[in-house]
């Protein structure tokens, strides 16, 4: 991003700057500048997944009410711990401190919010049965918003394998290409860790659960 | 030239051209990460999909906006093209040609409009075929028509051939084949009928015709090589007088390099003697930076325990309503919304709120519904959510709490929640409501720079003033406000514009005098009251210094049922022309002006408006407006006004017309903001067909939360 005339940009930036007491005088100039100058790369300071994991010892967990998710998103270069705030119809919603939520049904991600290009809903009922009942194929249906606020549906046909020592592997085919997820189940039947694909822009999420 | 008439809360520093450049620049930053396939078409020197100087039958992606600036041999063409529909595209062009006048050697500045329609789609054996009208209503410097076919003959190679008339029939022309149909096609009338600005349909496809054509080859995703045979003889440019270049060959060669998905650079060798270049920025309103926006997560639904709904103990607690109201207000504020008022009954609640954050109205409503599941006692089953805009209760969205609980993660929750929601009029929604403390009266002020631009002055295509603006808004009670803005110019040249030759009352053409003498100026200073008149009826009264050039009293009544595609309104104003210094005085001219208006939301996101009435200069007539609107807030449209003023009296351009753009800033930022930059581009500003610039017109105030607009962005309900 280098060539649109800086002269015009400055004019427009100037026109947006200002001061006042109006509640919605947000810093749009700064945000625009950030968008213009950022190259879309990974944010610099994100805690590493390992550091995050090391922090959640059993002693720490004992002081937290309810389960915790440790999540990293390699594509966005970010990792965070999320705490559970509500359960509705068997779907658990976990929040970060900075305004992102992830919702899980039977350990499968069915919604994200606050990331941008979010997963609006996912129909994973077949997937859930396949993972627990050992069926060898399933259909998964994701819904996303397009640029005009309309929902678009993407369906995936998935197959399941259980290579030794690697938990269950899920490979799904769709118009968006092939995606691969993996799940490791603990003794309670919950996913102790998993890797789940969310959307083309967000890519994979690595999720570890601490109860 | 362009005056932002949206109310204070949505206003934005207005600098149309700067905005365009910025818009194109940021769009490009936003899309660098997308791996879209590079389009196979390139923009030509006329800023339309084409070869070098000649058009092709290709169309841009639906809804694409492209700004091209091109130069060769003393001609600078700046073109804005819009793919109006998948088949139809339109272009507006502003051209400077040096030494144009044979008598004086002066440059000329010309405006032109084109339309192109793709008649036939490309198939395995058949080329795409398009018909085009270039410079169809301008003064005709570039007027020409064509029928052109383009075929991809190899994966990276296209071949184009066409027949052209007018400019496109001026080199190696032959007798018009249409002459066989009707002899009148043989002669092309010369010159412009009247003062420009009118459809020159009497010239179309007349006179000699000629063939043109070309080849493109795209060896890599970024690079396209172009060669063409041009049928434009450039008769006037190459004649003695202008003598801008020697046309030594009909063959042109060029390359187009896509620097990003949204910017390309073209370089040309033209007519055996000249070098030329062009730069194109494109963006698509359908492709914002972040789909769905990068907004704070909503409050998750908290479901009720089974059986809890029958517990009414809380209704015995005296301070329960106050506590509940405070909790709702706090959670709304956290998500960028303001609680205006609330009623709480044992099984239902009504929430009146203001949305200063989300451009999609449904997102604000969906968030509030979820917040209410968290706060309200289990017996409260019905949520009535009422968006208040500038004091007007625009609609009441009635939701069942059980539906919100049931559908939060339902795979098809968007349409199900829309189908189960009830939308109704909100005129009486605040009966018994308790307004939040401290909301009224309230005072807001802002001190900041302003940039005011005007375009297409023959001496200087862009003029601008910059300075400081102090604006303030005093909310006295819901709907009742005092507001004003004072400006002090720091620098600029808008005051240097030409004196007008208008023979009408000079209601708009004195803008240069206003710009020169109004320093400092009171830009506006008004008292306004906006209110729900009755179910489906809305009212507004605005008085004071309404705008830069007029003060007076403006009254308006609008009928718009929440679920109707049709709205009808009447506006009556008494306006008196303000002194040039824009302080408190008035000049002698006054006028009663007003319109009856019909608004209609067509299918396919087209939106039309017809205004019939009396304009500022006392002329009577009609304004027709048509917009293509996008469910993310973008609008692109055109308008034209026909009044009883004759083309001669109107002056250059013959009648008032122009283009309108509404550009939501969320498109570029991805983070929530309701800011929309509204741009009106008029090729010429004259005194006929002029209207008052008044803030807070009712239709724009209420439509956002009515069925058509809410349905369009309902996908954001669960965002």
């Amino acid at each position: 991003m280098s060539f649109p005339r800086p002269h015009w940009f400055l004019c427009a930036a100037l026109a947006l700057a200002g001061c006042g007491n109006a509640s919605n005088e947000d810093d749009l100039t700064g945000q625009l500048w950030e968008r213009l100058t950022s190259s879309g790369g990974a944010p610099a300071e994100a805690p590493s997944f390992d550091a995050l994991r090391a922090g959640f010892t059993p002693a720490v967990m004992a002081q937290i009410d309810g389960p915790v998710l440790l999540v990293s998103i390699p594509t966005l270069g970010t990792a965070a711990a999320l705490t559970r705030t509500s359960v509705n119809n068997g779907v658990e919603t976990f929040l970060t401190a900075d305004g992102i939520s992830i919702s899980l049904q039977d350990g499968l991600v069915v919604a994200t919010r606050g990331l941008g290009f979010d997963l609006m809903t996912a129909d994973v009922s077949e997937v859930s049965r396949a993972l627990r009942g050992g069926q060898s194929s399933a259909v998964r249906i994701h819904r996303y918003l397009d640029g005009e606020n309309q929902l678009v549906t993407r369906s995936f046909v998935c197959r399941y394998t259980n290579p030794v020592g690697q938990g269950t592997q899920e490979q799904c085919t769709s118009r968006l290409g092939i995606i691969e997820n993996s799940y490791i189940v603990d003794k309670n039947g919950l996913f102790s860790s998993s890797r789940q694909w969310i959307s083309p822009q967000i890519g994979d999420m690595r999720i570890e659960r601490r109860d | 030239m362009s005056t932002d008439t949206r109310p204070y809360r949505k206003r934005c520093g207005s600098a149309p051209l700067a905005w365009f450049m910025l818009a194109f620049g940021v769009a490009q930053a936003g899309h660098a990460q997308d791996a879209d396939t590079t389009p196979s078409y390139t923009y030509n020197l006329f800023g339309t999909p084409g070869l070098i100087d000649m058009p092709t039958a290709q169309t841009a992606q639906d809804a694409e906006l492209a700004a091209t600036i091109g130069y060769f041999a003393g001609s600078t063409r700046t073109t804005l093209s819009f793919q109006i529909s998948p088949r139809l595209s339109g272009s507006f062009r502003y051209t400077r040609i040096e030494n144009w006048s044979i008598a004086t050697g002066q440059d000329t500045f010309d405006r032109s409009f084109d339309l192109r329609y793709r008649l036939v789609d490309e198939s395995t054996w058949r080329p795409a075929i398009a018909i085009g009208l270039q410079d169809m209503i301008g003064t005709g410097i570039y007027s020409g028509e064509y029928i052109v076919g383009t075929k991809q003959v190899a994966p990276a190679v296209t071949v184009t051939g066409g027949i052209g008339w007018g400019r496109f029939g001026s080199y190696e022309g032959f007798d018009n084949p249409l002459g066989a149909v009707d002899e009148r096609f043989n002669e092309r009338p010369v010159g412009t009928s009247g003062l420009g600005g009118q459809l020159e349909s009497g010239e179309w496809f007349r006179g000699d015709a000629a063939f043109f054509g070309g080849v493109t080859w795209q060896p890599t995703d970024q690079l396209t090589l172009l060669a063409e045979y041009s049928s434009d003889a450039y008769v006037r440019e190459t004649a003695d007088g202008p003598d801008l270049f020697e046309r030594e060959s009909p063959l042109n060669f060029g390359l187009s390099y896509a620097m990003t998905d949204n910017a390309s650079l073209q370089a040309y060798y033209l007519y055996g003697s000249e070098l030329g270049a062009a730069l194109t920025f494109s963006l698509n309103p359908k492709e914002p930076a972040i789909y769905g926006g990068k907004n704070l997560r909503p409050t998750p639904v908290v479901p009720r325990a089974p059986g809890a709904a029958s517990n009414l103990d809380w209704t015995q607690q005296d301070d329960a309503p106050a506590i509940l109201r405070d909790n709702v207000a706090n959670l709304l504020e956290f998500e960028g919304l303001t609680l205006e008022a609330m009623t709480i009954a044992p099984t239902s609640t009504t929430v009146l709120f203001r949305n200063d954050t989300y451009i999609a109205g449904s997102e604000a409503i969906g968030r509030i519904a979820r917040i209410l599941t968290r706060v309200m006692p289990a017996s409260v089953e019905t949520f009535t959510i009422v968006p208040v805009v500038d004091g007007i209760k625009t609609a009441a969205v009635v939701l069942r709490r059980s539906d919100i609980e049931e559908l939060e993660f339902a795979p098809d929750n968007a349409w199900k929640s829309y189908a189960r929601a009830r939308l109704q009029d909100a005129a009486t929604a605040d009966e018994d409501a308790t307004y939040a403390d401290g909301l009224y009266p309230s005072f807001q002020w802002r001190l900041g720079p302003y940039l005011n631009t005007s375009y297409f002055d023959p001496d200087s295509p862009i003029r601008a003033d910059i300075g400081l603006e102090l604006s303030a808004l005093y909310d006295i009670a819901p709907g009742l406000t005092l507001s004003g803005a004072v400006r002090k110019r720091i620098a600029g040249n808008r005051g240097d514009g030409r004196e007008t030759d208008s023979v009408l009352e000079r209601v708009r053409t004195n803008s240069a005098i206003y710009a020169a003498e109004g320093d400092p100026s009171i830009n506006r200073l008004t008292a306004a009251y906006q209110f729900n008149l009755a179910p489906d009826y809305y009212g507004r009264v605005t008085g004071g210094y309404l705008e830069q050039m007029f003060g007076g009293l403006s009254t308006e009544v609008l009928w718009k049922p929440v679920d109707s595609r049709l709205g009808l309104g009447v506006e009556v104003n008494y306006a008196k022309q303000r002194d040039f210094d824009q302080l408190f005085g008035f000049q002698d001219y006054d006028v009663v002006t007003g319109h009856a208006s019909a608004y209609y939301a067509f299918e396919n996101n087209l939106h039309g408006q017809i205004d019939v009435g009396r304009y500022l200069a006392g002329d009577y007539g009609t304004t027709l407006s048509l917009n293509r609107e996008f469910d993310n807030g973008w609008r692109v449209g055109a308008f034209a006004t026909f009044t009883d003023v004759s083309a001669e009296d109107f002056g250059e351009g013959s009648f008032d017309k122009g283009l309108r753009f509404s550009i939501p800033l969320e498109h570029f930022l991805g983070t929530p903001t309701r800011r929309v930059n509204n741009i009106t581009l008029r090729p010429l500003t004259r005194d006929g067909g002029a209207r008052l610039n008044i803030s807070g017109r009712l239709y724009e105030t209420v439509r956002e939360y009515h069925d058509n607009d809410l349905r369009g962005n309902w996908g954001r309900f669960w965002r």
Side-chain angles (χ1 to χ4, degrees), chain A residues 3 9 14 17 19-22 25 28 31 35 86-88 93 99 103 113-114 117 121 143 147-151, chain B residues 22 30 281 291 295 297 300 303 405 408-409 411 414 443-447 449 631-632 668 671 675 712 716 718:
Chain A
F3 40 84
F9 170 71
L14 188 70
C19 56
N21 75 337
E25 284 298 329
L28 294 170
Q31 291 183 42
R35 273 209 74 76
S86 60
V87 183
N88 184 13
T93 297
S103 300
R113 293 293 184 273
F117 298 100
T121 67
R143 283 182 174 81
E148 295 179 274
N149 295 327
Q150 309 300 305
L151 285 159
Chain B
L22 177 66
F281 294 106
Y291 294 3
N295 309 351
R297 50 84 191 144
E405 290 168 340
E408 185 184 19
F409 297 104
F443 182 73
Q444 290 178 38
W445 64 274
R446 179 179 186 276
L447 176 66
D631 290 326
N632 56 24
F668 308 105
T671 47
R675 296 221 191 187
R716 284 262 185 128
W718 293 106

Side-chain angles (χ1 to χ4, degrees), chain B residues 63-87:
Chain B
E64 182 164 285
L65 276 164
T68 300
I69 180 159
Y71 175 86
F72 103 97
S75 300
T76 310
R77 301 170 191 156
T78 306
T79 309
L80 186 66
S81 287
F82 178 53
Q83 191 66 40
I84 300 166
S85 77
R87 292 182 181 279

